[in-house]
Each structure stands twice: as structure tokens, then as C-alpha cells.
Amino acid sequence: MSDDQGAYWLVPARLFDGHTMHSGVAVRLRGAEVLEWAAIADLGDRADLRHHDGIAAPGLIDLQVNGGGGVLLNTSPTPDGLRAIATAHRALGCAFCLPTLITDAPEVLDRATDAMLALWSAPDRGGVAGLHIEGPHISITKRGTHDPRFIRPLDDRTLNCVARLRERGVPVLITVAPEACAPGQIARLVTMGAVVSIGHSAAAPDQIARAMAEGARKGTHLYNGMTGMAGRDPGVAGALIDSDLWLGLIADGHHVSEAMIRLAWRARPAAGRMILVSDAMPTVGGPDHFTLYDQVIRVADGKLVNAEGSLAGVHMALPQALPRVTRILDDDGVQALTAASSTPAELMGLSGLGHLRPGATGGVTLLGPDLTRAEWLGAAPAGKDRPAR
């Protein structure tokens, strides 16, 4: 066994490797890097053992994070803003995230693009794994809290921003409504290497089919911001559930009912393509209010509401969804953990993340036996905390 300086053995009650739950197994870590595995019985009484009474899982990955620690990306589209958001979520057990820019003026996306390119040159990106562009190319009727002043069809300005990011290898997830895209535009994004997600949409069946044919690979926060299912029309939600696309889902106890979570999970034709997201706002790890489009949004009874009392975002870090989804699905946590680690890593092509096999570089999220008490173990050596695509 290796004697790497600074390395130690993590000995959990259970170890989830990204796909399978194990007992009786320890993992040797150096910072955020997994060096090797061993049977606990073979370790003896070593001095470099760290015991944990719960579950050790790969560093969790959240593909939809609008803010955290009091910072909203739309109002702080800077390298420091990106890093502050990811830092706030790491403190709550989520190792990596895609800071998410929602619908705004074109120059805000320009600044966010410049900020991400600047951060991508840094030796430590602080948990930022790419950029999620959610809007402004969405349906006006399914905009949710997105400001209608800035909603517009997909244009060259956004395409150029995505091209700049992808040329530097930055993972990009972009949410669009198919009806806001001209034929061929989604295919252009896919050719660049962006992951295109269908969301905030009232698209007709032929528009959804075209988006999928052009390479759309995901659906954004299933059920929310899209037409629902009916007996004679599956709507966007039904079409996504019945597809082989990856689907993001908010499981905060407010945005989607338990019955609809079970329905979606069980009805998918392709297993392992559900992804848990937080859609978190700045109140996560921050103060109990923030300003969005000149409106004050506050936490009330565990949820975010505007002045009229309407739901206006999510007050939840990703690890909080794990025990809820595990209870809803009535399993041992494997499905929820998969949806928060290996599945988002696979979709976004995040090398070294989402698993705990030797060579992994995403650190470990420690959870209690019931999937609570999330803590991220990382402190990656220089150059190791850099997900690649």
C-alpha cells in the first residue's frame, strides 16, 4: 500500500462509489484524490485511519445553482462571484456546481462569460465546474420568475459566448425553449460541445422532436416551467419523461409533489438519467433575503416567496434533497446519490468527478447514516481540483 505524504485512509460504515453501495471497504485519500481501495479488515490498527459512521460518497455535483452565500450570479457575474457561490455550496456538502445565469440583459451574459474564462485560467477553480445559461431564450408564457423584458429568440450574441467558452474547454449547459430556436441552432450548440437542455417551454410535439433530433440531451427542472401532462397531450413534461434525455428535478418539498417524483423516476424508458438539482438562490448559506429584478425575495416557512407570497426560487442545498428522495423512492439511497454524483458528471463529461475509484479527483462528501450531515472532504493539491472535459 502507498505511503504518500499527507494521505490517509477513510473508513466509512458504507461507501458509495458512484454506482454501487459497499460495506467493509476503505478508501485512501490525498486531498481530493482517491489513491486506492482496501478491505477494512486488511488495514489493521493504523495511525492514519479516519472513521466515519455514515456514508462516504463522491463529491456531489449540482448543475443548477443561481446563487449562494448571499451572492446571485446575475448581479455578481465576476470570478469572485462565481467562486463565492461555489464556496457557499461546498460548505454545505456539495463539491462542484455549475453557477447558473438566468434571463438577463445581453451584456450580463457577456460579463459572466468573461468571468468564467478568467476563472478557468486559475490553478484552483474552487468548485466551479462550468456554466449553466438558463434563458433568455425561453417561452414568455413559461418564464416563471424570469424577467419578460429580456426574453428573446436565440441569437448570435449568445452563440458567440458559448463558442468562446467551449473553445477554452469550459463545460456549458444551456437551457432553451425549442420554440425560441430557429431550425439548426440547437445543432450548432451541440456541435460546439454544449449540452442543450429543454426548459421554460410550451413547445408543440414537433418542436420538441426537432430539438431532440438536433441533439438536445436534457430537460431542465422537470414539471416546473413547462406544459404539464394531460390525457390527450403529454405536454413538454410528459414528452421529456417518455424520452431518453437526462432530466433535472428539484426535490425541495415545494416545487414537485412526492407522487410526481415517483412517477417520473419509475416511468423513464432509460434508467439512470435522473439528476437532482437545487436551483438554489443566494439565501442558501446566506442571509434570508435577496433582490431579484428589483424585487425582494425572502425565506418564509422554508421556501422563497416574493412580496405577493408566490414561490420565487429554491432555498435548498443539493444534499438536503438526498434523504427526501430516498424516502420517496423507498431504497437505500443509491438512486438519489447516483442522481447527485455520477449521472451529472456523465452528462457534462466531467473527468475525474462523480466516482470514488482510484484516480478520482472530486473529493468525498460525507453523509450521515440517513444521508444527512453533509460535509465535503477535499482541499485538493494544486492542479487536482480541475474537472476537465
Side-chain angles (χ1 to χ4, degrees):
M1 296 181 185
S2 173
D3 290 322
D4 298 78
Q5 186 175 6
Y8 64 95
W9 284 98
L10 177 64
V11 184
R14 290 190 292 165
L15 185 145
F16 176 71
D17 67 6
H19 297 281
T20 304
M21 192 75 77
H22 304 267
S23 297
V25 175
V27 60
R28 188 166 174 79
L29 302 173
R30 181 181 57 209
E33 184 179 11
V34 175
L35 300 176
E36 57 183 318
W37 281 36
I40 294 173
D42 294 339
L43 294 178
D45 187 19
R46 300 170 57 104
D48 60 346
L49 302 183
R50 174 173 175 174
H51 292 271
H52 176 60
D53 65 352
I55 299 170
L60 303 183
I61 304 167
D62 193 340
L63 301 186
Q64 191 165 358
V65 175
N66 306 294
V71 178
L72 179 70
L73 182 57
N74 283 62
T75 54
S76 300
T78 65
D80 286 345
L82 291 163
R83 192 184 297 277
I85 291 168
T87 297
H89 285 266
R90 274 195 164 173
L92 297 169
C94 183
F96 295 91
C97 69
L98 298 192
T100 300
L101 188 77
I102 65 173
T103 296
D104 214 320
E107 55 268 24
V108 178
L109 175 58
D110 294 340
R111 292 200 294 270
T113 298
D114 291 342
M116 182 61 72
L117 292 174
L119 183 64
W120 216 247
S121 299
D124 178 1
R125 297 164 189 158
V128 175
L131 183 67
H132 183 171
I133 303 168
E134 185 189 357
H137 316 300
I138 59 176
S139 164
I140 194 79
T141 64
K142 292 297 178 182
R143 67 184 186 276
T145 58
H146 291 231
D147 194 324
R149 294 176 298 166
F150 304 120
I151 293 174
R152 65 187 191 275
L154 181 58
D155 55 20
D156 285 342
R157 190 161 181 174
T158 295
L159 290 168
N160 289 337
C161 284
V162 174
R164 291 176 60 207
L165 292 163
R166 291 300 305 135
E167 285 167 3
R168 289 279 298 281
V170 178
V172 175
L173 175 63
I174 179 167
T175 293
V176 298
E179 63 268 38
C181 303
Q185 285 185 318
I186 288 176
R188 283 183 64 187
L189 288 166
V190 171
T191 298
M192 294 176 193
V195 176
V196 177
S197 188
I198 296 171
H200 288 284
S201 173
D206 63 317
Q207 294 170 315
I208 298 170
R210 185 192 75 205
M212 293 180 184
E214 290 191 17
R217 299 180 66 198
K218 182 180 176 293
T220 296
H221 48 46
L222 180 66
Y223 300 121
N224 298 111
M226 61 184 65
T227 49
M229 296 181 288
R232 295 182 179 87
D233 182 0
V236 175
L240 292 176
I241 290 172
D242 195 40
S243 75
D244 63 358
L245 271 62
W246 281 259
L247 300 185
L249 183 74
I250 303 168
D252 65 340
H254 303 292
H255 280 72
V256 182
S257 77
E258 294 186 3
M260 295 306 277
I261 290 174
R262 280 192 296 270
L263 185 153
W265 228 284
R266 293 171 178 171
R268 301 305 312 286
R273 294 200 171 182
M274 297 298 289
I275 295 175
L276 292 175
V277 298
S278 71
D279 204 13
M281 287 295 189
T283 54
V284 174
D288 67 355
H289 65 281
F290 67 100
T291 301
L292 175 65
Y293 303 134
D294 300 321
Q295 293 187 56
V296 176
I297 311 297
R298 295 185 179 278
V299 179
D301 298 323
K303 60 185 178 182
L304 289 175
V305 297
N306 59 19
E308 290 75 39
S310 299
L311 203 59
V314 181
H315 178 64
M316 177 191 72
L318 182 64
Q320 293 174 262
L322 298 176
R324 180 176 294 114
V325 171
T326 295
R327 177 180 56 78
I328 292 169
L329 299 180
D330 191 24
D331 76 348
D332 61 355
V334 166
Q335 292 183 84
L337 286 166
T338 301
S341 60
S342 58
T343 304
E346 178 186 0
L347 172 66
M348 296 305 303
L350 302 177
S351 175
L353 306 188
H355 66 92
L356 284 184
R357 294 292 177 182
T361 57
V364 174
T365 294
L366 295 181
L367 299 149
D370 55 358
L371 295 172
T372 58
R373 296 187 291 134
E375 174 193 359
W376 180 69
L377 299 181
K384 292 297 184 182
D385 185 11
R386 302 184 61 147
R389 183 160 187 211

